[in-house]
Amino acid sequence: MKMVIAIVQDKDANKLGLEFVKANVRATRLATSGGFLRSGNTTFMVGIEDDRVAEVLGIIKETSHMRKQFMTPAVSLDVSMESTATTPMEVQVGGATVFVQDIEQFHRF
Ligand code: 2BA
């Protein structure tokens, strides 16, 4: 048994959830935020048999897209306490960040 944890962009989350249902893959969906951009993303937790991990990874790969986003760094104050203009910077996000972990035990009571 493995636990696949996939962090995807909110724009891809509904499609991914539907694809999991179609493929009879059970998943839990969490509303999360990225530590860097601090904007919303979605984390799926998927408990899955070892021989279906590749299938799950394939579904995630097909559904998650890379996008460019602009972020504006926090306003900074210079020595005269005047705020200095900050330039928006481009950041590439995604497709998906995925972790696969061994699960020692799995129970459904
Ligand atoms: P965020 O932390 O909001 O990061 C969004 C994107 O910003 C990242 O895209 C990456 O391109 C960039 N980025 C992140 N930290 C950076 C830094 N210190 N300096 C410069 N650029 C930085 P992705 O790599 O595709 O990550 C998308 C989201 O996946 C992340 O959102 C975070 O929620 C999660 N994530 C990525 N790597 C992770 C890790 N090692 N552990 C836990 N969560 C992770």
Side-chain angles (χ1 to χ4, degrees), residues 7 33-39 41 89 91-97 99:
I7 303 158
S33 312
F36 188 66
L37 295 180
R38 297 186 208 168
S39 57
N41 53 28
M89 59 188 253
V91 177
Q92 285 192 358
V93 190
T97 300
F99 304 91

Side-chain angles (χ1 to χ4, degrees), residues 8-23 29 42 44 58-65 67:
V8 303
Q9 294 175 67
D10 285 342
K11 285 177 182 157
D12 295 322
N14 281 346
K15 175 120 190 344
L16 182 55
L18 286 173
E19 294 298 327
F20 281 152
V21 172
K22 263 200 245 169
R29 188 175 157 161
T42 300
F44 284 88
I59 294 171
I60 297 168
K61 194 172 174 188
E62 282 301 307
T63 314
S64 309
H65 303 286
R67 294 186 183 87

Side-chain angles (χ1 to χ4, degrees), residues 28-92:
T28 294
R29 188 175 157 161
L30 308 170
T32 47
S33 312
F36 188 66
L37 295 180
R38 297 186 208 168
S39 57
N41 53 28
T42 300
T43 300
F44 284 88
M45 293 169 56
V46 181
I48 196 79
E49 297 77 17
D50 288 22
D51 61 358
R52 295 194 69 198
V53 169
E55 180 192 351
V56 168
L57 294 179
I59 294 171
I60 297 168
K61 194 172 174 188
E62 282 301 307
T63 314
S64 309
H65 303 286
M66 195 275 283
R67 294 186 183 87
K68 289 180 180 169
Q69 248 175 268
F70 283 91
M71 77 167 291
T72 310
V75 173
S76 58
L77 298 176
D78 64 20
V79 282
S80 64
M81 298 301 278
E82 298 275 335
S83 64
T84 53
T86 52
T87 318
M89 59 188 253
E90 193 180 75
V91 177
Q92 285 192 358

